[in-house]
Amino acid sequence: MISEPAVRKTVEALDLDACVRLAQDLIRVPSVTGDERAVQDLVALMLEEAGLEVDRFDADVSRLKAHPRFPGMEVPRTEAVLVAGILGQKGERSLILNGHVDVVPPGDRQAWHASPWSAHIQAGRLYGRGACDMKSGVAVAIAAAAALKKSGLPLRGRLIVESVVGEEDGGIGSFAMADRGYRADAAYVLEPTRLRVIPAQAGALTFRLRIRGRAAHASVRYDGISAIEKYEVVEARLRQLEAAINQQRHPLFSHYPVPYALSIGRLRAGSWSASVPDQLECEGRLGVPVGMASAEARRQFAAALADAAQRDPWLADHPPQVEWYGGQFDAVEVDPDLPAFAALRAAHLDIFGVTPELEGAPYGSDMRLLAHEAETPAVLYGPGDIRQAHATDEWIAVDEIVQAARVVTAAAARYLAA
């Protein structure tokens, strides 16, 4: 740890108004997953103005997709533009601040009270798609790096700001950063956590399930086999699987009613209202407990399907087919007492007067790619509430952006100062 005056000097170099403006400028550039080039141009400019060395590159999407551990994606893309800002040189310590600039589509714009890209501030809230998830976090990372540079604090290593893409549908950006060789002793992923430290996250595996029936005229529906009715048999067995998986309790997830949810998000069946549906296709996500490998979760899912089929004569002859596609998020857990994370918790204590809460996250993020692919232990810590992410009229409290900037800047100074 460095002396308190040195930490104070670094935090005093932080331009908090500029941090909020950075978040607004980022929100005003639409960057729905797969279309992030313009916002990455802006990030590169921001990092250059902060005085960092900038590495802006186009990842080889085709080569990455062929990698045996590619994390998957749901949105077709031909490019992935990545930006890294580097402060300092390789040395005794290193720290990554990671954030993604891709956002989910805004949905029905008529439901928004203002443009999803307005980035306006009202009653202490910053509004816009990506305000919470997670352009404010990216702004915090850039502002913290700028403060370290401006303060002139001698560093015993280097700080790396990673602005990545594709997090929303798998994580190609952080995967590409690891592939390019970016490593560190630790990382803060500045996702919205309400300024809680998240050292463990559940996995989430996207699947597509196909169930066959037998078509017949609706007036003689008893001559057909409804794929919907057969889906009900399968769905009941999947509920049992969800219950079994959630018997594995973890103290960081104890406040979640269902930490590892199995959810069906889309369902399509049949082709004509007056016909018995002979096919059904559904898509969903399978939650994976901390400590369970994704391969084991897929095995248990397949076993549940097989068990359902065994109990039904039609399904026994026409077993459901499962396809794993899109984002495949492994579960991960790190030691929250590692020096970089101890520095984060100490900085939080300095700012707020209380130690930050430790929680688990029931959703996937790039945290697992840093830990597994970049061999960089990572925690989630950032401004905003996940309940606002992806929502209509998405917002984040401006005060929370400011407080996050103070904590992250102080933590980086504590950890990296010579």
Side-chain angles (χ1 to χ4, degrees):
M1 295 298 178
I2 62 175
S3 66
E4 287 305 313
V7 174
R8 197 157 43 246
K9 177 184 175 183
T10 308
V11 174
E12 287 171 355
L14 183 62
D15 189 335
L16 296 171
D17 290 336
C19 180
V20 176
R21 288 196 301 271
L22 288 177
Q24 289 179 289
D25 289 343
L26 291 170
I27 294 165
R28 288 176 181 136
V29 181
S31 55
V32 173
T33 297
D35 184 20
E36 307 101 345
R37 181 173 290 275
V39 76
Q40 289 290 59
D41 288 343
L42 178 58
V43 170
L45 179 61
M46 290 174 170
L47 290 169
E48 287 174 359
E49 291 178 344
L52 276 67
E53 175 190 345
V54 176
D55 178 20
R56 183 187 183 282
F57 64 97
D58 287 76
D60 186 337
V61 174
S62 296
R63 184 178 65 80
L64 292 175
K65 286 172 64 177
H67 195 288
R69 294 192 303 278
F70 182 66
M73 62 184 187
E74 298 178 33
V75 177
R77 68 164 67 234
T78 57
E79 67 173 22
V81 182
L82 285 307
V83 180
I86 301 102
L87 179 65
Q89 304 297 322
K90 289 185 178 180
E92 184 181 341
R93 285 186 168 182
S94 54
L95 178 67
I96 289 173
L97 304 180
N98 173 284
H100 67 87
V101 291
D102 63 307
V103 301
V104 298
D108 181 7
R109 294 198 179 196
Q110 299 303 313
W112 288 70
H113 288 88
S115 167
W117 320 112
S118 67
H120 69 284
I121 295 174
Q122 181 178 348
R125 294 177 175 181
L126 169 58
Y127 287 87
R129 176 57 83 227
C132 175
D133 187 16
M134 58 165 293
K135 289 182 175 179
S136 295
V138 174
V140 165
I142 296 170
L148 261 69
K149 174 68 175 178
K150 181 180 177 182
S151 72
L153 190 71
L155 303 181
R156 61 204 281 190
R158 66 176 185 169
L159 176 73
I160 303 167
V161 176
E162 291 185 348
S163 177
V164 302
V165 302
E167 189 275 346
E168 294 290 359
D169 72 331
I172 187 174
S174 288
F175 190 78
M177 283 288 186
D179 179 74
R180 195 167 177 85
Y182 283 104
R183 303 282 190 278
D185 298 312
Y188 306 155
V189 182
L190 304 177
E191 290 276 7
T193 69
R194 295 183 297 159
L195 301 182
R196 288 158 170 77
V197 175
I198 309 291
Q201 69 162 51
L205 308 177
T206 306
F207 63 84
R208 181 177 291 119
L209 190 60
R210 295 182 177 90
I211 297 174
R212 292 171 55 193
R214 186 174 65 212
H217 193 282
S219 65
V220 287
R221 64 174 182 79
Y222 40 81
D223 284 343
I225 303 290
S226 169
I228 294 175
E229 293 177 5
K230 296 307 170 186
Y231 165 77
E232 292 174 346
V233 174
V234 172
E235 203 268 347
R237 182 61 182 84
L238 293 181
R239 286 287 147 253
Q240 294 176 2
L241 172 64
E242 180 188 57
I245 286 177
N246 279 276
Q247 287 179 355
Q248 304 183 40
R249 307 304 291 182
H250 187 293
L252 293 180
F253 293 81
S254 60
H255 60 292
Y256 293 107
V258 185
Y260 315 114
L262 195 166
S263 175
I264 304 297
R266 300 177 66 186
L267 189 148
R268 299 174 293 273
S271 57
W272 192 255
S273 58
S275 297
V276 173
D278 63 348
Q279 56 189 339
L280 180 145
E281 181 177 279
C282 66
E283 296 165 355
R285 61 90 80 179
L286 171 65
V288 182
V290 171
M292 179 183 289
S294 293
E296 172 59 17
R298 294 187 189 99
R299 187 198 68 77
Q300 292 191 21
F301 189 93
L305 292 181
D307 183 59
Q310 252 186 351
R311 299 167 184 268
D312 183 277
W314 173 264
L315 291 176
D317 291 334
H318 307 84
Q321 303 297 311
V322 64
E323 173 190 356
W324 301 98
Y325 79 103
Q328 302 292 298
F329 295 79
D330 296 326
V332 66
E333 183 175 19
V334 302
D335 180 359
D337 294 322
L338 291 175
F341 307 146
L344 178 63
R345 295 162 73 182
H348 184 104
L349 174 61
D350 285 348
I351 300 297
F352 291 102
V354 294
T355 56
E357 295 180 38
L358 290 181
E359 288 188 2
Y363 49 83
S365 77
D366 281 355
M367 174 184 170
R368 96 284 188 192
L369 293 173
L370 284 153
H372 295 159
E373 299 299 330
E375 300 173 335
T376 300
V379 296
L380 305 181
Y381 180 89
D385 188 332
I386 194 66
R387 291 176 176 83
Q388 290 301 321
H390 303 191
T392 301
D393 288 333
E394 180 179 346
W395 62 269
I396 188 170
V398 173
D399 283 348
E400 200 161 310
I401 300 173
V402 167
Q403 299 288 38
R406 288 191 174 119
V407 172
V408 172
T409 301
R414 283 175 176 273
Y415 182 66
L416 292 175

